[in-house]
Amino acid sequence: MSFFKRLRESISSKAEEVTNKFKEGLSKTRDAFVGKVEDLFTRRKKIDEPFYEELEEILIGADVGINTVMKLIDELRVEVRKRKIEDPKELRPILTEKLVELLSGGEETERLKTAPEGLTIYLVVGVNGVGKTTTIGKLAHRLKQEGKSVLLAAGDTFRAAAIEQLEVWGQRAGVDVIRQGQGSDPAAVIFDAVHAAKQRNVDVLICDTAGRLQNKVNLMEELNKIFRVIRREVPEAPHEVLLVLDATTGQNALQQAKLFGEKTGVTGLVLTKLDGTAKGGIVIAIRQEMELPVKMVGLGEKIDDLQPFDSEQFVNALFLGLGGAAEETE
């Protein structure tokens, strides 16, 4: 069976399974990106340089990333020459195929890692304003809904507001927060939290960290200190270091991912506010340019709007309504 036939059957069979969260959350990106692509393929009567240039603009406008776009356009040119394609509509399923390839990732890399037994520890990093504390609260709620016991650690001790905000989310999610006063040693808070989690036989401990850029030497030293404290108590932890990024900031989010990825041992990404942007292509850019999987995505403001990232659902939700996207090309 050809790729296009499999893709067509997959989209047909999976369409009903795409959650409303993904469909609604990606509506702005779908309307802006897929709508423009559909218009381009319908309006243009031949594949020429103006066609490629307009397609480049659409992809870059969706924040797919210049490097990724250039690579994608080059691959499309090769396919056009090889298959002797002249009608833009015949290129549509090939574009879909290429985008599926860019987003595809193993299920194992997308799923949050957990300890085989005993305590699982997640360390959460990110700059102020990206939705880090909100993400922690929503993740705690999700884990509780899955039947796990959860504890939070207020490790961002630089701002009293950060501690208070985490406590509010802890109350909403129905989980306790281990905290000290503003200005306390973050590593000491994490130490207390790890011991409390062990004593209470908690399944998951989620640790907040400072919300300022981590390229300052003192903040890096604090993070390293937190790592040492955690690993002294639970050698295989933290099981995930999650970097929270605001999807509405587009390429700036990619730059933050590069900075944090180099300096903090990030293992996975959480993209917030994906529902608030027409530039959901940043997911493709990050997956292509960083060796970091997207673990969770924020698709709304409600407590249950943080969803595990699923590349298949993302693609299906994004391309729903792209007429003939999965049609087979002879």
Side-chain angles (χ1 to χ4, degrees):
M1 185 185 292
S2 73
F3 172 85
F4 296 112
K5 186 173 287 185
R6 291 197 307 273
L7 181 60
R8 181 180 60 204
E9 291 182 358
S10 170
I11 289 183
S12 176
S13 63
K14 300 285 184 183
E16 292 302 318
E17 299 176 19
V18 176
T19 64
N20 286 330
K21 298 282 186 193
F22 271 85
K23 284 193 285 187
E24 293 167 4
L26 290 172
S27 62
K28 288 187 178 180
T29 295
R30 184 169 60 248
D31 292 346
F33 172 59
V34 179
K36 288 178 181 176
V37 169
E38 179 72 359
D39 174 68
L40 172 65
F41 281 81
T42 302
R43 178 166 40 81
R44 293 281 182 181
K45 302 306 178 186
K46 62 179 181 177
I47 300 173
D48 52 14
E49 279 308 306
F51 172 86
Y52 285 123
E53 288 173 6
E54 192 170 343
L55 182 57
E56 280 180 16
E57 289 177 8
I58 293 170
L59 291 165
I60 291 171
D63 260 350
V64 173
I66 292 176
N67 294 335
T68 304
V69 171
M70 294 301 104
K71 175 185 173 185
L72 178 59
I73 295 296
D74 286 344
E75 290 180 1
L76 290 176
R77 289 178 187 273
V78 170
E79 292 294 331
V80 166
R81 287 195 296 269
K82 186 168 71 175
R83 304 191 194 195
K84 297 182 172 58
I85 297 172
E86 296 181 0
D87 187 346
K89 290 179 182 177
E90 294 179 41
L91 188 60
R92 186 162 47 195
I94 299 172
L95 173 62
T96 306
E97 174 192 355
K98 296 298 180 184
L99 289 171
V100 169
E101 289 175 0
L102 291 177
L103 265 174
S104 62
E107 197 175 310
E108 290 302 316
T109 63
E110 293 173 358
R111 189 180 301 139
L112 283 174
K113 296 173 188 171
T114 57
E117 58 182 22
L119 178 63
T120 295
I121 300 178
Y122 298 141
L123 198 61
V124 184
V125 300
V127 302
N128 293 336
V130 296
K132 181 164 58 74
T133 309
T134 300
T135 294
I136 292 172
K138 291 181 178 181
L139 179 56
H141 170 76
R142 183 171 190 87
L143 293 170
K144 271 205 70 177
Q145 294 297 107
E146 294 173 1
K148 295 181 175 67
S149 54
V150 184
L151 190 64
L152 306 181
D156 185 358
T157 60
F158 290 100
R159 297 183 304 124
I163 299 171
E164 293 166 2
Q165 188 183 4
L166 192 65
E167 287 193 309
V168 169
W169 273 104
Q171 290 169 6
R172 289 181 188 172
V175 301
D176 289 340
V177 178
I178 302 300
R179 59 159 291 175
Q180 292 184 16
Q182 182 181 2
S184 301
D185 180 1
V189 177
I190 304 303
F191 177 83
D192 287 349
V194 172
H195 274 261
K198 284 181 170 182
Q199 289 171 357
R200 303 181 193 186
N201 291 318
V202 165
D203 296 317
V204 183
L205 170 64
I206 309 174
C207 305
D208 193 10
T209 62
R212 288 183 280 174
L213 280 173
Q214 309 278 340
N215 58 346
K216 297 179 181 178
V217 175
N218 62 326
L219 289 175
M220 285 309 303
E221 288 176 350
E222 284 165 7
L223 262 186
N224 288 331
K225 188 176 176 183
I226 288 172
F227 266 84
R228 290 196 301 271
V229 166
I230 290 174
R231 285 186 174 153
R232 189 166 62 236
E233 301 300 319
V234 183
E236 67 277 13
H239 300 88
E240 294 277 12
V241 179
L242 300 172
L243 171 60
V244 181
L245 299 169
D246 180 347
T248 64
T249 63
Q251 288 297 305
N252 187 42
L254 177 58
Q255 296 308 312
Q256 286 180 32
K258 289 179 177 178
L259 174 65
F260 277 81
E262 291 169 358
K263 296 179 177 292
T264 62
V266 171
T267 60
L269 305 173
V270 179
L271 279 171
T272 65
K273 309 175 189 177
L274 200 58
D275 60 306
T277 180
K279 298 188 175 186
I282 192 62
V283 177
I284 301 172
I286 289 174
R287 286 190 75 107
Q288 276 296 292
E289 298 194 29
M290 300 290 298
E291 293 182 3
L292 290 171
V294 178
K295 299 281 186 174
M296 309 287 291
V297 288
L299 298 170
E301 297 180 0
K302 297 176 184 175
I303 196 168
D304 61 348
D305 283 337
L306 183 71
Q307 297 287 314
F309 181 72
D310 183 313
S311 55
E312 194 169 87
Q313 288 221 38
F314 184 95
V315 172
N316 283 327
L318 188 61
F319 291 108
L320 231 62
L322 178 56
E327 289 175 6
E328 187 169 0
T329 304
E330 298 297 335

